[in-house]
Amino acid sequence: VSSCRRGWNAVSLLTSGTSWSRFESRVQSVRAGAGGYCCSVPGPWQTRVDAEGWEPMDLAGEIVGEVHSLRSDGGEHPYEAGLWRVLGDLPAPFAYDFALNETIHVLEGAVVIDVEAGPTLELGPGDVASFAAGSRAVWTISATPFRELFVLS
């Protein structure tokens, strides 16, 4: 796309006040040939754990923390990388279906992930886990603040 802004990335758009849904629709319009921003510009992409520009993470109508996207593409080979956090009160345990392969690195706090037909993982700072697309699990955040780096592919 010839109208891409060199050096643009998801973080710069999201931290400029663009909502996640507006960001996704903008990427879709670029793919359709409308021009403007795009994700095909080579990185690097950069953010910080204490970044601004967080969006609520809504699972079936329940807010279970906030997400900050570093990089995302919903094309033929979808992927996303970003940060997820839960601050303050512990949320109720919640079900989560892994739509894509997902790898997480816990940065702060603790979580228990009970994988359906699999093990129960107790993860804390420094722990890394990876889940196959199609897996189902119940997540219980056991210590806040909770922060993780995630990569979906």
Side-chain angles (χ1 to χ4, degrees):
V1 179
S2 61
S3 59
C4 288
R5 294 186 186 176
R6 184 142 185 86
W8 172 85
N9 60 54
V11 173
S12 65
L13 184 58
L14 288 170
T15 57
S16 69
T18 300
S19 72
W20 179 246
S21 59
R22 284 185 53 214
F23 166 73
E24 285 183 316
S25 66
R26 186 64 186 143
V27 169
Q28 292 303 319
S29 69
V30 168
R31 286 197 190 102
Y37 301 109
C38 69
C39 287
S40 62
V41 175
W45 286 261
Q46 176 185 353
T47 193
R48 296 181 45 86
V49 173
D50 60 353
E52 295 183 19
W54 294 83
E55 294 283 326
M57 182 173 169
D58 185 328
L59 290 179
E62 183 165 344
I63 303 300
V64 293
E66 299 174 306
V67 67
H68 175 80
S69 185
L70 172 62
R71 186 173 180 197
S72 178
D73 187 344
E76 183 179 345
H77 303 286
Y79 62 83
E80 182 176 2
L83 300 166
W84 177 55
R85 71 180 182 187
V86 176
L87 304 174
D89 296 334
L90 297 173
F94 59 90
Y96 182 75
D97 296 332
F98 294 91
L100 300 171
N101 295 314
E102 185 166 343
T103 300
I104 65 169
H105 177 192
V106 176
L107 304 171
E108 182 178 19
V111 62
V112 176
I113 303 172
D114 185 13
V115 180
E116 186 177 281
T120 297
L121 306 176
E122 296 183 25
L123 305 174
D127 290 333
V128 177
S130 193
F131 306 89
S135 298
R136 304 184 83 185
V138 173
W139 289 56
T140 304
I141 304 299
S142 52
T144 60
F146 178 82
R147 297 177 205 274
E148 73 169 32
L149 170 70
F150 66 85
V151 177
L152 289 76
S153 61

